[in-house]
DNA sequence: GCCATAGTACGACCGCCGTCGAACCGCGGC
DNA sequence: GCCGCGGTTCGACGGCGGTCGTACTATGGC
């Protein structure tokens, strides 16, 4: 069949259901901001395993969930890996300038992985 | 003396010493955002006692401290009262667009005291 | 069928932050 | 000098969120 039984879909909130509080809580954690920064810097969607972050894998999963539920990222399965994309456009529509400002500030103080 | 002995001055950080982390932590608390929103809506500096917030006075004092240390507000004594002002310009220079975006989003979802 | 790989779920731990009340301080009236 | 009002300080408490390891599930390759 075209639609595999265990299609492993992921739930994403409509941005109208997301509160400013949620987004700020999502962005206030340094690890999550690291994730978002790397995602913004990449020109392609990234799989969960390719992120640089000083935490364990299970913790990272947790952070992805928070970001997804806050509408900051979109996730989808491709085979055995899960890809992540920034919902920059959606965010811009719901909270104009917010993500951009955080990203800019984040980059300005060495936001991405400091190598 | 022109300078009264117990001048009750207040320490304010230079915005260059303030991290994005600090500012986000300051703005993530709903009560503090309420304070900032009221300050932004007012056309004059406000004394500590005139804010609408669902917390005790001592808690409010704590929030003011956090906001001040994050460089979001400026405080100064006038007689027996303490006045509060937004450091909007300073913030704009250090983190362009950030405070504005938060304020706008905050206002959009009924930021100020819902009467 | 079987294994390796990618990610998830669950439960436990722990530190931090927001909250409060009570005691206190300092200034300005009177 | 004394009081009262505006704010602060201090200590205690409680809950929530970030962290981890371990056990688990799902997919794809062989």
């Amino acid at each position: 069949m075209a639609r595999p039984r265990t299609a492993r879909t992921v739930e994403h909130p409509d941005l109208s259901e997301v509160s400013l509080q949620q987004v700020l809580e999502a962005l206030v954690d340094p690890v999550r901001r690291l994730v978002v920064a790397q995602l913004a810097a990449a020109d392609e969607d990234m799989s969960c395993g390719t992120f640089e972050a000083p935490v364990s894998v299970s913790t990272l999963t947790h952070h992805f969930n928070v970001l997804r539920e806050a509408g900051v990222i979109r996730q989808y399965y491709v085979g055995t890996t899960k890809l992540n994309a920034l919902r920059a456009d959606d965010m811009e529509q719901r909270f104009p300038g917010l993500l951009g400002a955080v990203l800019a500030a984040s980059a300005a103080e060495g936001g991405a992985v400091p190598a």
Side-chain angles (χ1 to χ4, degrees), chain A residues 52-100:
Chain A
E52 296 279 341
V55 292
S56 73
V57 184
S58 56
T59 299
L60 211 42
T61 294
H62 165 66
H63 286 312
F64 283 127
N65 288 339
V66 174
L67 285 171
R68 191 187 62 243
E69 282 160 21
V72 180
I73 64 172
R74 167 166 287 122
Q75 303 189 283
Y76 56 97
Y77 281 97
V78 171
T80 176
T81 75
K82 198 179 198 174
L83 292 186
N84 302 272
L86 256 196
R87 296 182 67 180
D89 293 351
D90 293 344
M91 285 294 293
E92 179 62 22
Q93 229 176 313
R94 178 83 171 88
F95 300 113
L98 219 201
L99 186 57

Side-chain angles (χ1 to χ4, degrees), chain A residues 1-114:
Chain A
M1 296 305 116
R3 175 169 65 72
R5 270 221 301 72
T6 336
R8 288 224 275 181
T9 53
V10 188
E11 292 286 328
H12 293 91
D14 187 306
L15 274 247
S16 63
E17 300 165 0
V18 173
S19 65
L20 172 62
Q21 186 62 32
Q22 250 180 299
V23 175
L24 289 179
E25 278 172 5
L27 294 178
V28 79
D29 185 288
V31 175
R32 286 195 286 265
R33 229 159 43 236
L34 213 59
V35 167
V36 171
Q38 291 176 58
L39 216 39
D43 25 315
E44 291 236 318
D45 298 353
M46 300 174 62
S47 86
C48 290
T50 62
F51 287 85
E52 296 279 341
V55 292
S56 73
V57 184
S58 56
T59 299
L60 211 42
T61 294
H62 165 66
H63 286 312
F64 283 127
N65 288 339
V66 174
L67 285 171
R68 191 187 62 243
E69 282 160 21
V72 180
I73 64 172
R74 167 166 287 122
Q75 303 189 283
Y76 56 97
Y77 281 97
V78 171
T80 176
T81 75
K82 198 179 198 174
L83 292 186
N84 302 272
L86 256 196
R87 296 182 67 180
D89 293 351
D90 293 344
M91 285 294 293
E92 179 62 22
Q93 229 176 313
R94 178 83 171 88
F95 300 113
L98 219 201
L99 186 57
V102 171
L103 240 22
S106 198
E109 33 182 70
V113 4

